[in-house]
Amino acid sequence: MPNSPSEPARRIKVQRQGPLLVEGPVEVELEDGSTVRSDRFRVALCTCRRSRRFPWCDTSHRDRK
């Protein structure tokens, strides 16, 4: 899905020990080839794979006490 020259670049914020924050809307292609979409203005993508809602982050990466 190439970007047109007039389309602004997506911004992704990388956080240590946290999700990737991506300015939306986004479409994510999963390992099995299926796609999921979010129309939200910002989404959190799970990088630890603990999320029950993978690829969306549900804060499972946080230490539980």
Side-chain angles (χ1 to χ4, degrees):
M1 183 161 64
N3 294 332
S4 69
S6 63
E7 191 175 328
R10 296 276 183 230
R11 180 176 300 263
I12 299 173
K13 183 176 180 182
V14 179
Q15 303 181 100
R16 185 184 304 261
Q17 297 184 10
L20 292 175
L21 299 178
V22 182
E23 291 183 3
V26 298
E27 187 173 277
V28 178
E29 184 176 335
L30 303 175
E31 290 175 305
D32 66 1
S34 64
T35 58
V36 292
R37 180 176 171 84
S38 174
D39 292 322
R40 297 187 66 175
F41 71 95
R42 183 175 297 131
V43 296
L45 295 176
C46 177
T47 59
C48 71
R49 292 194 162 271
R50 291 183 219 152
S51 175
R52 290 188 190 121
R53 299 179 53 225
F54 186 82
W56 317 122
C57 178
D58 67 2
T59 69
S60 294
H61 60 275
R62 294 184 183 164
D63 291 334
R64 303 284 184 202
K65 295 189 179 191

